[in-house]
Amino acid sequence: MIHLKNLDKQYKNGDQTLHVLNDIHLKIEENEFVAIMGPSGSGKSTLMNMIGCLDQPTSGEYLLHGTDVASQPEKELAKVRNAQIGFVFQQFHLLPKLSAMMNVELPLIYGGIKKKERKERARLALEKVGLEDRVNHLPNQLSGGQKQRVAIARALINEPSLILADEPTGALDSKSGTQIMELFTQLHHEGATLIMVTHEQEVADYARRIVTVRDGEIIKDRGHENVVPR
Ligand code: ADP
Ligand code: ADP
């Protein structure tokens, strides 16, 4: 499903070149649950940005469902992101003045879906994450764990083939963090493909596979091919 080949990412700063990702080779199959670990500054976010089509590599190939997306223009990448990828962030990134339901509906508004269908799908997504009794709450009326569940419902609303989460438990207490990881585990068992960045070993241990990055290179890939049968 995901195939990165010889992927490099460099940043130019005056006459200096920073090699942030160096000859990355990575294959991720459908229905894998992968954690990406590594020290701060090792290139994890940059790698996630590549996989999420938020940024383009300096060189190398990125095949997503067999299509080379590495060289596509931003307009095409935006389409790929919208149709295929759900994003979950450490700080939730919810719009504060919109209800839980409206936040979840947003990707459907961008997709031109009619109101009745939007409401119905948003309600189902919120039900799925256990928030059916919080649909009209504003983000500041929700706990951190509940906000993250709203964000996950939003990530799921377009039925993406891939869910990317950058430190999804980083802003949560350990109990809420555990609930979020149990939700990801449930999504994984239902067939989702999940890739998450985390600093925390106990969070990474929910994943079937742990990829370790250091200085822009993959130095360890544990649990590869250990995919749960559907
Ligand atoms: P991590 O997520 O592992 O902390 P990052 O991918 O954020 O690592 O960053 C890796 C390195 O790349 C860091 O040295 C960071 O400062 C640098 N970097 C990231 N994005 C940019 C950018 N847009 N321009 C210049 N340097 C960047
Ligand atoms: P986090 O680690 O919480 O994801 P960072 O502070 O590493 O956040 O990076 C936030 C954003 O800033 C990232 O999208 C990254 O690409 C960008 N960035 C990181 N380091 C640099 C840098 N040295 N120069 C320019 N942009 C950077």
Side-chain angles (χ1 to χ4, degrees), residues 11 18 20 38-47 55 166 197 199:
Y11 289 111
L18 188 63
V20 178
S40 187
S42 57
K44 304 183 296 297
S45 297
T46 305
L47 180 58
D55 198 358
D166 198 346
V197 166
H199 278 97

Side-chain angles (χ1 to χ4, degrees), residues 57-84:
T58 308
S59 62
E61 266 183 88
Y62 174 13
L63 301 175
L64 178 62
H65 295 293
T67 304
D68 187 4
V69 288
S71 53
Q72 302 210 0
E74 168 55 30
K75 211 176 140 197
E76 290 303 310
L77 291 182
K79 275 192 209 155
V80 173
R81 286 197 299 270
N82 215 23
Q84 301 200 30

Side-chain angles (χ1 to χ4, degrees), residues 169-188:
T169 62
L172 303 178
D173 60 71
S174 65
K175 185 161 165 270
S176 311
T178 300
Q179 288 170 351
I180 293 301
M181 293 320 300
E182 284 168 357
L183 178 55
F184 278 143
T185 302
Q186 180 198 329
L187 296 174
H188 174 230

Side-chain angles (χ1 to χ4, degrees), residues 5-202:
K5 293 191 214 174
N6 302 108
L7 201 84
D8 276 44
K9 182 67 179 179
Q10 305 171 1
Y11 289 111
K12 289 228 163 26
N13 185 4
D15 51 6
Q16 295 211 350
T17 302
L18 188 63
H19 293 257
V20 178
L21 294 177
N22 194 4
D23 196 24
I24 296 286
H25 289 262
L26 184 64
K27 252 186 174 172
I28 294 173
E29 304 298 343
E30 239 162 81
N31 196 210
E32 281 202 81
F33 185 2
V34 182
I36 299 178
M37 297 193 81
S40 187
S42 57
K44 304 183 296 297
S45 297
T46 305
L47 180 58
M48 284 292 264
N49 289 348
M50 299 293 144
I51 295 172
C53 297
L54 290 162
D55 198 358
Q56 287 169 314
T58 308
S59 62
E61 266 183 88
Y62 174 13
L63 301 175
L64 178 62
H65 295 293
T67 304
D68 187 4
V69 288
S71 53
Q72 302 210 0
E74 168 55 30
K75 211 176 140 197
E76 290 303 310
L77 291 182
K79 275 192 209 155
V80 173
R81 286 197 299 270
N82 215 23
Q84 301 200 30
I85 306 175
F87 293 93
V88 176
F89 305 96
Q90 179 171 0
Q91 295 297 341
F92 325 125
H93 290 203
L94 300 177
L95 294 183
K97 294 194 171 155
L98 298 185
S99 66
M101 180 176 265
M102 286 291 288
N103 268 284
V104 174
E105 274 181 66
L106 272 184
L108 297 179
I109 294 177
Y110 298 136
I113 308 289
K114 294 243 165 43
K115 189 167 174 181
K116 185 156 177 262
E117 186 185 341
R118 286 202 313 261
K119 300 273 172 214
E120 206 168 289
R121 282 169 64 178
R123 190 178 299 280
L124 282 173
L126 283 164
E127 225 170 80
K128 182 162 193 66
V129 300
L131 287 181
E132 58 277 10
D133 55 350
R134 294 286 187 278
V135 290
N136 292 317
H137 284 56
L138 293 171
N140 70 10
Q141 298 171 315
L142 299 171
S143 71
Q146 289 171 336
K147 283 184 224 178
Q148 194 60 299
R149 283 190 273 156
V150 173
I152 292 169
R154 179 184 57 192
L156 295 172
I157 194 78
N158 269 330
E159 298 174 0
S161 61
L162 174 64
I163 298 166
L164 297 181
D166 198 346
E167 298 279 2
T169 62
L172 303 178
D173 60 71
S174 65
K175 185 161 165 270
S176 311
T178 300
Q179 288 170 351
I180 293 301
M181 293 320 300
E182 284 168 357
L183 178 55
F184 278 143
T185 302
Q186 180 198 329
L187 296 174
H188 174 230
H189 284 288
E190 290 170 8
T193 308
L194 291 152
I195 308 177
M196 115 189 126
V197 166
T198 180
H199 278 97
E200 297 168 72
Q201 185 66 50
E202 55 275 30

